[in-house]
Amino acid sequence: QVQLVESGGGLVQAGGSLRLSCAASGRTFSSYTLGWFRQAPGKEREFVATISWSGGSTYYKDSVKGRFTISRDNAKNTVYLQMNSLKPEDTAVYYCAASRGLITMSTIGYDYWGQGTQVTVSS
């Protein structure tokens, strides 16, 4: 069992930056694929970024490439999402998720989810 707790969300102006953190419980954190997803009001939850257990592989949604960076610190059981050059369309609740399987961009591939943190980007 893995419990995930996100933090770092908030209100920021367009062009600004935020760093989301997701702290995980569990002794096997380093073996999990980790991902960030987001859900805007009235929309389905969508993939944002994912990172392999070693941190050696990362994938991003096309619209965040070059602006967002996912990273992990297995010693601290934490995964991060650095978000730069934020746009109003990035406004959503952001969720971190953990998968016992291989790297994936699909929500159904993740076994554990956090409660989410709100990110609001004003224009």
Side-chain angles (χ1 to χ4, degrees):
Q1 187 77 9
V2 174
Q3 292 185 327
L4 304 169
V5 179
E6 302 97 335
S7 62
L11 174 64
V12 63
Q13 289 188 331
S17 298
L18 283 174
R19 187 195 196 199
L20 305 183
S21 300
C22 177
S25 64
R27 292 174 293 177
T28 59
F29 174 84
S30 61
S31 67
Y32 286 87
T33 293
L34 300 171
W36 285 97
F37 292 77
R38 67 188 183 187
Q39 188 167 17
K43 296 187 177 180
E44 292 187 352
R45 191 168 300 188
E46 65 177 7
F47 165 77
V48 175
T50 185
I51 187 166
S52 62
W53 67 271
S54 67
S57 296
T58 57
Y59 295 92
Y60 297 91
K61 177 180 174 63
D62 284 346
S63 63
V64 308
K65 286 179 181 177
R67 300 188 297 123
F68 291 10
T69 302
I70 188 171
S71 62
R72 65 189 295 165
D73 185 338
N74 288 339
K76 295 182 178 180
N77 280 14
T78 302
V79 60
Y80 304 98
L81 185 68
Q82 178 66 44
M83 305 186 295
N84 299 328
S85 302
L86 282 161
K87 304 175 180 180
E89 51 263 44
D90 295 318
T91 295
V93 176
Y94 283 70
Y95 298 89
C96 70
S99 169
R100 290 171 292 190
L102 297 176
I103 201 164
T104 176
M105 293 177 278
S106 172
T107 57
I108 63 174
Y110 288 81
D111 305 289
Y112 305 100
W113 292 84
Q115 83 289 347
T117 186
Q118 177 70 47
V119 171
T120 303
V121 185
S122 63
S123 57

